[in-house]
């Protein structure tokens, strides 16, 4: 993330306390969604134990500006109504944010409709799930009335084009009706396991512009300036790109093509500053040791496959 | 191109002799499609003068292994039947290759059908356009019988996903029926003016895999190994990528994830060798001076916009 100029992660994965420590050591910002699911996870036996840990982690949110914990109810298909409601109550009590995968595939949408008589966003509305700042990942296979519900509840919807395309979900968040309804849309990478894109937000910004134009037959959708604004919305951080890089050419009239060059050609991230701390300078990451991480990862992969046929 | 590990360009643009010289000086391979169009081009007044220059350039093809000239009949909509047939005759006489934009947009397909009663590939077949090694760029809006015609005539079809998506052509080459028909499909960037992607073939390989899966709802389409093979088909050159780069991790079982990491995460091109010559070593391009090119481009852009309101 530092290498490619991202300073904030809205995470939803196992072992939230460890993720929080890693982000803190790296100097990054994060909203660490501790996972909640009825199925056993590598980090938790059940929703009960997950919610108990999150209660504890969320109680510390007021002590840290950069890293906050959130409640990542995995999805409608891995959380019972009771679990979703208990998570929502915890969010309300601890003033925490909810994060959930919503309508990533047609299959989960059809299953929800069959089980509950409602589509996923309608269902979440019907059980009073929404709390302030709820985050929906994917939100691809939705109806217009579901988009209106998201706008009413001030949901942040996260468009993850690489993941949706790589996994062949068929659909990906349809930007124009979201824009028209006034939903807060952001750009996300999804996890490395799904998108295989090295968590590179520039890749996602480029692809969001391209896939929205492709799907909607509209070359005016998401020009570089607009997708850059969406990709950096709310950022309080400072990132410097190498303007001497040949990819930043041509400059265009009044040197105004920087954003288009950055989005469509890619760029080299030189400096990253978060909250007054330099995380990267002159193309070198300062807070993490890339070589050490690579060695540790190589060793872990080697151990994992040792003895595997 | 050298910076991102491409060693061959199938070009179709103005001023073929200059392009040929630049590629030769850079040490790259190329098939330089001198442009042929009935409309006046910056480089030629009419098809007559373009064909005359190409006759001359093509006569030198046997003197050069790396850079060859070809005949880039722009398209069905910018070339009359007579021009297309004269170009085809020149290709036959000089043993040169034809290169043409085909069915990039629905509009040109509808116009061709209205004017000729035939779709573009059918029309080209009806006027005996095809010569050995004909190259079709885009070939997006085609019928299955047109794909079969391409297979019969041993056409090379070039899939340019960034350009098609950025320009919102709606369609892009549909890989499965091409594969099933046995058409030789390659990956192309289209020009920088259309795709804005810095002529980065890795970007195109990644996007081809993603957009084919997206369009066809099939996550088994174009895995990394297959798209890498397509992107490098026929290459006689040697390119080295930085395997110490953190983007090349994880290694996976038996260190077999290199291609997936390269395609989906991107990579740093260290060395490029073409025909026994090193064009790039240890991340530094040797045959072109990037700094000088940037300065010249900046000056040219400055001059172009000087006095423009």
């Amino acid at each position: 993330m530092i290498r490619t100029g991202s300073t904030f992660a809205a995470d939803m994965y196992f072992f939230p306390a460890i993720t929080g420590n890693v982000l803190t050591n790296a100097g990054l910002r994060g909203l660490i969604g501790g996972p909640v699911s009825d199925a056993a996870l590598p980090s938790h036996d059940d929703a009960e134990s997950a919610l108990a840990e999150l209660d504890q982690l969320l109680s510390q949110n007021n002590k840290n500006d950069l890293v906050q914990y959130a409640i990542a109810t995995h999805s409608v298909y891995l959380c019972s109504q009771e679990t979703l409601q208990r998570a929502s109550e915890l969010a309300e009590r601890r003033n925490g944010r909810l994060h959930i995968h919503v309508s990533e595939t047609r299959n989960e949408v059809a299953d929800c409709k069959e089980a509950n008589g409602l589509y996923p966003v309608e269902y979440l509305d019907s059980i009073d799930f929404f709390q302030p700042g709820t985050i929906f990942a994917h939100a691809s296979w939705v109806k217009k009335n579901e988009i209106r519900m998201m706008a009413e509840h001030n949901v942040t919807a996260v468009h993850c084009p690489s993941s949706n395309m790589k996994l062949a979900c068929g659909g990906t968040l349809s930007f124009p009706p979201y824009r028209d309804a006034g939903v807060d849309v952001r750009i996300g990478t999804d996890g490395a396991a799904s998108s295989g894109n090295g968590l590179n937000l520039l890749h996602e910004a480029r692809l969001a512009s391209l896939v929205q134009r492709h799907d909607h037959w509209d070359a005016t959708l998401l020009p570089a300036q607009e997708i850059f604004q969406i990709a950096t919305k709310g950022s309080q951080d400072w990132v410097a790109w190498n303007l001497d890089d040949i990819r930043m050419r041509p400059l265009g009239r009044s040197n105004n093509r920087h954003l288009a060059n950055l989005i469509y050609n890619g760029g080299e991230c030189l400096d990253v500053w978060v909250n007054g701390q330099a995380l990267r300078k002159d193309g070198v990451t300062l807070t993490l040791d890339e070589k050490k991480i690579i060695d540790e990862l190589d060793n872990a992969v080697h151990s994992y496959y040792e003895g595997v046929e």
Side-chain angles (χ1 to χ4, degrees), chain A:
Chain A
M1 284 175 54
I2 296 173
R3 185 193 169 103
T4 52
S6 294
T7 63
F8 170 83
D11 182 72
M12 176 198 283
Y13 219 62
F14 313 137
F15 308 110
I18 294 173
T19 307
N21 287 340
V22 171
L23 280 184
T24 299
N25 292 337
L28 289 164
R29 297 177 195 274
L31 185 68
I32 311 299
V36 179
S37 145
D38 292 327
L41 301 174
S43 53
H44 300 93
D45 288 336
D46 50 28
E48 182 77 28
S49 59
L51 286 166
E53 183 190 349
L54 285 173
D55 196 358
Q56 166 63 17
L57 288 172
L58 283 158
S59 71
Q60 303 164 27
N61 269 352
N62 58 356
K63 297 183 191 154
N64 193 329
D65 284 341
L66 298 186
V67 172
Q68 298 271 299
Y69 292 94
I71 305 154
T73 41
H74 184 279
S75 56
V76 164
Y77 56 92
L78 284 188
C79 295
S80 67
Q81 178 180 333
E82 189 200 341
T83 296
L84 290 169
Q85 286 174 322
R86 288 186 60 199
S88 179
E89 285 156 19
L90 174 61
E92 187 174 15
R93 181 159 51 81
R94 289 292 190 191
N95 198 27
R97 292 178 74 171
L98 293 163
H99 186 169
I100 184 168
H101 294 118
V102 175
S103 301
E104 181 177 358
T105 67
R106 287 207 312 174
N107 196 41
E108 73 181 80
V109 169
D111 286 350
C112 180
K113 176 75 171 171
E114 188 181 348
N116 306 299
L118 296 167
Y119 288 108
V121 185
E122 299 168 337
Y123 167 70
L124 291 171
D125 188 48
S126 77
I127 65 169
D128 290 327
F129 175 74
F130 294 100
Q131 294 294 335
T134 299
I135 298 168
F136 276 10
H138 305 296
S140 305
W141 289 101
V142 296
K143 297 185 299 174
K144 282 201 172 172
N145 76 315
E146 295 180 279
I147 293 175
R148 285 193 296 271
M149 283 178 180
M150 289 185 234
E152 282 162 20
H153 291 294
N154 292 312
V155 162
T156 292
V158 183
H159 178 25
C160 306
S162 285
S163 169
N164 299 153
M165 294 172 80
K166 187 157 188 281
L167 300 180
C169 294
T172 192
L173 185 146
S174 175
F175 183 69
Y178 277 86
R179 176 195 59 200
D180 296 346
V183 176
D184 177 30
V185 173
R186 307 292 177 103
I187 305 292
T189 58
D190 206 7
S194 305
S195 63
N197 70 342
L199 306 182
N200 184 336
L201 206 64
L202 258 192
H203 277 182
E204 297 304 324
R206 175 177 196 269
L207 194 54
S209 174
L210 296 181
V211 76
Q212 293 297 329
R213 292 174 180 202
H214 177 66
D215 282 358
H216 296 284
W217 300 36
D218 181 355
T220 70
L221 265 180
L222 293 177
Q225 194 170 6
E226 188 175 1
I227 193 66
F228 185 80
Q229 283 171 340
I230 291 172
T232 59
K233 204 190 289 183
S235 174
Q236 305 164 60
D237 304 316
W238 190 83
V239 174
W241 302 90
N242 182 2
L243 298 186
D244 288 335
D245 191 323
I246 200 166
R247 288 173 292 182
M248 295 306 290
R249 297 301 188 281
L251 292 168
R253 189 191 293 198
S254 312
N255 297 353
N256 64 357
R257 280 191 51 85
H258 288 317
L259 287 180
N261 290 332
L262 181 63
I263 296 291
Y264 296 116
N265 297 347
E268 183 194 2
C269 175
L270 291 180
D271 301 348
V272 177
W273 286 74
V274 174
N275 206 36
Q277 184 189 9
L279 312 189
R280 184 177 175 90
K281 266 190 180 172
D282 294 329
V284 177
T285 297
L286 305 175
T287 51
L288 297 174
D289 181 342
E290 278 193 23
K291 173 78 173 59
K292 185 157 163 267
I293 293 170
I294 287 176
D295 288 345
E296 287 173 2
L297 183 58
D298 284 353
N299 288 337
V301 169
H302 186 72
S303 302
Y304 181 81
Y305 283 118
E306 210 161 3
V308 176
E309 287 299 312

